[in-house]
Amino acid sequence: MSTIAVVPGSFDPVTLGHLDVIGRAAGIFDEVHVLVVHNPDKSALLPIAQRVSLIQQAIVDGGLPGNIIVTSWSVGLLVDYCVEVGAKVLVKGIRSQVDVAYETPMAIVNRNLSGVETVFLLPDPGHAHVSSSLVRQVAGLGGDVSPYVPPVVAEFLQSPR
Ligand code: PNS
């Protein structure tokens, strides 16, 4: 039986750290679903469909494996999506102890809700300081985000909209 893993997040926008984790997950699990989810605690920069499209392009440009699909979910719980597609695993990237503290309660609640387990993966330490919120801030103030995001995202953020 093939194992489906879901890599959820806001991805607003996708960063090199996210891509690193997505690639690692794709090397472990048979099928990886990158799931763009609205986070009500954050004010969004990009529409969900735009985030999906940028991730898809970054995956192709980055030569990531073909067992990755990118989609979004806006109805109900994250684990409802997992149950619907038969995914037994959520994958989260952990940059620091701060991420462990943030992710652990969600992992326990998601398991209690559905039985879906959460696996924490460590990105390359070179990405430890990269976050979508920093990218949004730097881009919003006209700074260069190209060290932190895939080229397609840097081009998109730096082009007039
Ligand atoms: O990239 P982010 O913003 O840290 O991702 C957080 C996200 C979207 C994964 C989180 O907000 C989430 O799981 N949202 C889905 C809502 C849900 O199911 N909540 C209950 C379980 S914690």
Side-chain angles (χ1 to χ4, degrees), residues 9-10 37 39 42 77-78 102 106 110:
S10 313
V37 183
N39 185 341
K42 299 178 180 172
L77 295 165
L78 169 60
Y102 174 69
M106 289 199 282
N110 283 328

Side-chain angles (χ1 to χ4, degrees), residues 8-12 18 35-42 73 76-80 90 92 95 102-103 105-107 109-110 113 132:
S10 313
F11 302 108
D12 187 30
H18 290 135
L35 191 68
V36 179
V37 183
H38 172 66
N39 185 341
D41 297 334
K42 299 178 180 172
W73 182 247
L77 295 165
L78 169 60
V79 291
D80 293 342
L90 286 164
K92 296 290 188 81
R95 292 162 298 187
Y102 174 69
E103 296 292 348
M106 289 199 282
V109 168
N110 283 328
L113 283 167
S132 296

